[in-house]
Amino acid sequence: MFDKLIDEKLLPFIFTQPKHPMRFNELMRANKLFVDNMPLEGQIPGVKLRLGRAYLFMIVVWNLVLIPLALIFHKILAKIDCHVAIILAVVFTLLFFGILSIFKQWAAEKMAEKMIRQAWKIHFPYYDYETYHAKVAKFYDDAVERGVTGANLEMYIMNALSLEK
């Protein structure tokens, strides 16, 4: 349920999505980067982070966490020295931007995986993503090493998959 909420509501709110499906070569490159655990931000064509919306989401979540904490510890916070309050403000600001950076990277990975899965259904309808995505990445790597490009790349990978099955 939580994954469905993220996929259907949060990711479309934070990212722009392309109108056209991913091409085969783009899918192969993105899948290879995903399998190798490389950063995918900016690697999927047409997918762009809406930074203002990411900030807005994080500010709302941050305040949903901090306001109840501030209300619970109000008496203690009211009695502390102002210098400690300034240091706490700096620490919470650092935490906010650190968590925002981690959130942006996590969201980019989730969005890339979602786009790769959508393109997989188009280009490999008879092959399960979970079973074959690592094998296809290996075949793609072999094809690039051999210098296979263009339409021959798709034929090379499909032939390798059919021999694998």
Side-chain angles (χ1 to χ4, degrees):
M1 181 179 143
F2 190 65
D3 287 335
K4 188 176 180 182
L5 179 69
I6 289 171
D7 285 342
E8 293 179 2
K9 300 292 181 189
L10 180 62
L11 292 179
F13 178 73
I14 294 177
F15 290 95
T16 58
Q17 294 182 6
K19 304 273 187 239
H20 55 82
M22 198 182 302
R23 293 183 303 206
F24 187 81
N25 292 342
E26 296 167 347
L27 171 63
M28 292 297 97
R29 184 168 181 264
N31 184 52
K32 175 70 174 139
L33 290 173
F34 187 74
V35 167
D36 291 344
N37 294 318
M38 300 295 287
L40 289 165
E41 190 171 358
Q43 299 295 327
I44 308 290
V47 175
K48 183 181 171 197
L49 176 69
R50 295 175 174 171
L51 195 55
R53 290 185 178 194
Y55 273 106
L56 178 66
F57 174 77
M58 280 304 298
I59 287 169
V60 168
V61 170
W62 192 251
N63 284 320
L64 286 174
V65 171
L66 279 186
I67 289 175
L69 286 175
L71 291 174
I72 291 170
F73 295 109
H74 178 70
K75 290 194 185 257
I76 297 169
L77 293 171
K79 293 179 184 178
I80 64 172
D81 185 32
C82 68
H83 295 92
V84 176
I86 292 170
I87 291 172
L88 283 175
V90 170
V91 167
F92 279 109
T93 302
L94 289 172
L95 282 174
F96 174 80
F97 285 106
I99 291 171
L100 176 68
S101 176
I102 292 168
F103 170 73
K104 288 190 312 186
Q105 184 178 2
W106 172 82
E109 288 176 10
K110 288 293 280 186
M111 186 63 181
E113 183 180 12
K114 178 183 174 185
M115 296 303 297
I116 289 169
R117 285 179 183 272
Q118 285 177 353
W120 190 275
K121 289 177 185 175
I122 294 170
H123 295 289
F124 297 104
Y126 302 112
Y127 295 97
D128 181 47
Y129 175 78
E130 297 296 329
T131 307
Y132 291 101
H133 77 280
K135 292 177 184 178
V136 168
K138 185 174 94 33
F139 296 147
Y140 174 71
D141 198 29
D142 293 341
V144 168
E145 286 179 10
R146 293 178 184 219
V148 179
T149 59
N152 294 334
L153 176 67
E154 188 172 357
M155 288 177 47
Y156 179 86
I157 291 175
M158 290 298 185
N159 286 337
L161 273 175
S162 66
L163 293 174
E164 182 74 24
K165 217 174 188 184

